[in-house]
């Protein structure tokens, strides 16, 4: 996948900072499961001087069961709310069993999927925040035979931090963060964990992963 960094007129952005370019390159090096179709998307404007974004769909048996996006923001001047110069913003929406929609623990569990995935992938982070929303849809009249559907939406942001074990000056590695987001997508749609001993490899185009 071609790496594209976006700068926004009026924000004072000039030449792309090397630390941002390296961070974006590390995002594209993430290893995702074969069910995840990931590609570059236009980044939102006016939020930060520099931004880059990825979108993803989770497909099972040729049916899209989940979707999401992850956006990298960078402000070289720093941001007190971010506790640094980088911020990741992620969104996940997954189809779930309608019977789960009334589970009082669903929101807390959904949030734990994200934090546990970040920890499992060794993604160091700070200042995490977000929301978990459940959406139930019922059909009536001429559409009553379609039955009800339910979705879980997770919106989150966090500030990636350098690996405490890394040597000083080593570029920020965002691959673990993207991989954690990919795992969140798969967990939310109910996919079982990757079996032990199976390695998930990145696609040459940065889209579908492949396992071997």
């Amino acid at each position: 996948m071609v790496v594209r960094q976006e700068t926004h007129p009026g924000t004072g952005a000039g030449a792309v900072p090397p630390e941002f370019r390296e961070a974006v390159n590390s995002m594209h090096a993430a290893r995702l499961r074969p069910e995840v179709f990931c590609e570059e998307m236009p980044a939102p404007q006016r939020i930060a001087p520099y931004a880059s974004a990825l979108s993803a769909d989770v497909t099972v048996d040729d049916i899209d069961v989940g979707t999401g996006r992850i956006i990298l923001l960078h402000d070289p001047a720093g941001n007190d709310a971010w506790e640094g110069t980088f911020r990741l913003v992620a969104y996940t929406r997954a189809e779930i069993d309608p019977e789960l929609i009334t589970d009082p623990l669903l929101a807390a569990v959904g949030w734990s999927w994200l934090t546990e995935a970040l920890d499992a992938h060794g993604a160091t982070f700070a200042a995490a925040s977000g929301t978990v929303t459940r959406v139930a849809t019922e059909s009536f009249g001429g559409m009553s035979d379609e039955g009800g559907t339910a979705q879980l939406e997770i919106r989150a942001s966090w500030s990636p931090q350098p690996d405490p074990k890394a040597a000083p000056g080593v570029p920020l590695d965002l691959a673990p963060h993207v991989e954690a987001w990919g795992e969140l997508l798969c967990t939310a749609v109910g996919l079982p964990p990757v079996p032990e001993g199976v390695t998930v490899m990145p696609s040459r185009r940065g889209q579908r992963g492949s396992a071997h």
Side-chain angles (χ1 to χ4, degrees):
M1 172 164 46
V2 176
V3 176
R4 178 181 65 204
Q5 296 86 27
E6 299 195 11
T7 61
H8 310 312
T11 61
V16 176
E19 61 270 22
F20 177 70
R21 188 183 300 277
E22 290 165 345
V24 172
N25 286 339
S26 70
M27 289 180 70
H28 290 259
R31 301 166 182 262
L32 301 175
R33 291 178 55 153
E35 297 91 346
V36 180
F37 182 87
C38 186
E39 58 186 348
E40 195 172 26
M41 64 173 285
Q45 299 183 11
R46 297 184 295 275
I47 299 179
Y50 305 93
S52 185
L54 300 171
S55 66
D57 293 312
V58 182
T59 305
V60 177
D61 295 330
D62 296 324
I63 299 174
D64 289 339
V65 292
T67 187
R69 58 182 176 267
I70 187 167
I71 303 164
L72 172 65
L73 305 174
H74 177 52
D75 186 345
N79 187 306
D80 291 341
W82 296 357
E83 300 184 17
T85 60
F86 286 94
R87 188 73 172 172
L88 286 166
V89 181
Y91 169 76
T92 297
R93 187 181 75 238
E95 300 288 335
I96 62 173
D97 188 330
E99 293 184 359
L100 295 176
I101 206 73
T102 58
D103 187 337
L105 298 178
L106 180 61
V109 170
W111 183 254
S112 72
W113 291 338
L114 170 63
T115 57
E116 290 174 3
L118 288 167
D119 290 339
H121 286 271
T124 305
F125 64 97
S129 63
T131 62
V132 179
T133 304
R134 45 190 136 193
V135 180
T137 302
E138 294 187 38
S139 302
F140 299 92
M143 299 176 61
S144 59
D145 59 343
E146 296 184 7
T149 61
Q151 296 85 33
L152 184 70
E153 296 182 353
I154 302 172
R155 301 174 188 270
S157 63
W158 64 92
S159 299
Q161 303 292 306
D163 185 340
K165 299 179 183 178
V170 172
L172 189 64
D173 183 8
L174 297 185
H177 297 264
V178 176
E179 290 166 359
W181 165 70
E183 181 177 323
L184 169 64
L185 282 166
C186 294
T187 302
V189 301
L191 289 177
V194 175
E196 186 175 353
V198 175
T199 303
V200 178
M201 300 296 291
S203 164
R204 296 298 182 185
R205 296 181 59 201
Q207 295 184 348
R208 288 199 185 279
S210 59
H212 73 277

